Amino acid sequence: MSGEIVFSPFQLKGFTLKNRIGVAPMTRMSSSGDSIPRQDVFDFLIRRAQNGAAFVFTEAIVTDYESAQGYPGQSRLVTQRQIEAWKPVVRAIQKEGAIAIMQMFHCGRMAWPDINPANRVIAPSAITPKQINPMTGEPYSVPDIMTQFDIDHVIVGFVETAKGAIEAGFDGIEIHGAHGYLINNFLSSYANERTDHYGGSVENRFRFAHEVIQAVKKVIPDDRLLTFRISNWGVADPEVSLFNSKDEYQEIIKMLSREPIDVISVSTYGYKDHAFGTDQNMAQITREATDLPLMICGQIYDRDSAEDALKHADIVLSAKSLLLNPDWVENVRSGKQLSRYKSEEANVAYTDEPLL
Ligand SMILES: Cc1cc2nc3c(=O)[nH]c(=O)nc-3n(C[C@H](O)[C@H](O)[C@H](O)COP(=O)(O)O)c2cc1C
């Protein structure tokens, strides 16, 4: 075991990371109606900073009260009460020497109209995922095709949520462009059949992401981080490659690299998996197309896998291992033999059982 990289520091803008390990964003669906997570969910994030993670991402916070929400009990960060609730959490994470990042998203065609006050589902095109919505047991709702008004309005939601995060003291903001949600719907021809300047060419499909990034960047101070999460898979129809080829994906990565972002976070099922019919994994393919710092996530569960993943990335994120094992960072440090958690084991995240 080489073990040289994972516990080495890393400089990210003005931030010195104490190691290369971060808590991946994890939705917990714990809000009882005020769009504020339960106290034990907050405590969990603080504890993972105490347990040694250098980075802590929040759950994906939805960007408006109209069409952004896809799962019950999600959080928002636009009212003073919501901001006040996050402030001590952010401070406590920072006190442990960790970096706190707020992830935000709009669910796009994955939204669930019944839990959105405006009762709408909006997306670039009126196309649903093929699979049944596991939350409702029914097909996904056919989205309204977003008008220019909708597009501008949704961007305001990202901006207001980013402002909320800055007010709450977060060190950074992540724009969630992965997993088949709204930004990813625009990026991928699987969900985007528009014929206007938001569809068709890769440049056109990238336009919405560009507009969100530019608008958000304007409201965050220069010393904060702006990160962007991307994936080639979505939570619905997970077998589908959302980008048509390695070239297309790399073109998007190159466009992202020209944006004012500090990190690209690549989400995979398994960091080792080869992509686009090549013998390369997603981190390698991403690295080829950008000089930006990279985060990689997906089945990184012990020291060897963390070190291996860091061959082509700068920071590893873990979801399930950090969710279910409070000692994970220390176990990685000691090289303890660990096994991978199964997805079903992570379902405890959605119960009201407090996690260690
Ligand atoms: C309970 C749970 C909730 C998740 N919620 C989010 C989320 O809100 N945003 C996001 O980008 N990814 C989310 N994910 C995906 C993880 O961040 C991660 O990409 C995925 O679990 C693979 O990493 P792992 O193999 O370390 O678990 C979630 C995963 C789990 C297990």
Side-chain angles (χ1 to χ4, degrees), residues 110-303:
M110 302 291 291
W112 183 355
D114 295 2
I115 54 171
N116 278 292
N119 230 261
R120 275 186 94 197
V121 176
I122 60 174
S125 300
I127 315 168
T128 60
K130 294 194 175 44
Q131 72 164 68
I132 294 292
N133 183 346
M135 304 293 298
T136 62
E138 290 176 13
Y140 284 90
S141 306
V142 179
D144 293 350
I145 300 171
M146 286 172 78
T147 61
Q148 187 64 53
F149 181 87
D150 284 328
I151 289 173
D152 295 343
H153 187 65
V154 163
I155 292 173
V156 171
F158 277 94
V159 169
E160 291 303 308
T161 305
K163 283 189 197 162
I166 296 303
E167 184 64 22
F170 278 94
D171 300 301
I173 310 255
E174 176 159 281
I175 297 171
H176 189 352
H179 300 168
Y181 299 112
L182 184 64
I183 293 178
N184 194 267
N185 295 160
F186 273 92
L187 291 175
S188 167
S189 58
Y190 188 59
N192 183 350
E193 293 183 350
R194 294 176 81 98
T195 52
D196 64 0
H197 62 303
Y198 289 101
S201 66
V202 178
E203 197 184 357
N204 280 354
R205 281 185 269 135
F206 185 73
R207 192 177 311 280
F208 179 66
H210 162 76
E211 289 178 352
V212 172
I213 295 169
Q214 292 292 330
V216 167
K217 175 69 183 169
K218 283 199 186 85
V219 297
I220 56 177
D222 276 346
D223 61 347
R224 310 298 165 95
L225 297 168
L226 182 56
T227 81
F228 189 94
R229 198 169 208 212
I230 192 162
S231 68
N232 186 37
W233 63 280
V235 292
D237 305 346
E239 67 293 347
V240 172
S241 172
L242 293 175
F243 300 106
N244 294 310
S245 63
K246 173 180 165 182
D247 279 353
E248 184 185 292
Y249 173 75
Q250 288 190 323
E251 211 180 322
I252 286 173
I253 295 299
K254 285 178 189 156
M255 287 180 190
L256 265 179
S257 311
R258 291 194 284 272
E259 297 293 332
I261 58 171
D262 303 300
V263 180
I264 297 177
S265 179
V266 182
S267 165
T268 71
Y269 271 140
Y271 80 92
K272 268 190 189 167
D273 297 348
H274 294 165
F276 303 115
T278 70
D279 60 0
Q280 295 174 298
N281 63 39
M282 286 296 285
Q284 277 174 290
I285 290 172
T286 312
R287 185 66 111 196
E288 261 181 14
T290 185
D291 293 328
L292 281 174
L294 292 186
M295 295 182 182
I296 183 75
C297 186
Q299 296 182 6
I300 294 160
Y301 66 95
D302 64 358
R303 179 134 165 190

Side-chain angles (χ1 to χ4, degrees), residues 24-28 58-61 74 103 105 174 176 178-179 181 229 233 267-269 297-300 317-323 341 343 346-347 349-350:
M26 279 182 274
T27 291
R28 300 289 304 276
T58 68
E59 60 192 65
I61 289 182
Q74 289 195 282
Q103 187 194 54
F105 77 155
E174 176 159 281
H176 189 352
H179 300 168
Y181 299 112
R229 198 169 208 212
W233 63 280
S267 165
T268 71
Y269 271 140
C297 186
Q299 296 182 6
I300 294 160
L317 301 184
S318 162
K320 291 188 280 293
S321 290
L322 276 164
L323 179 79
Y341 288 103
S343 296
N347 286 340
Y350 310 124

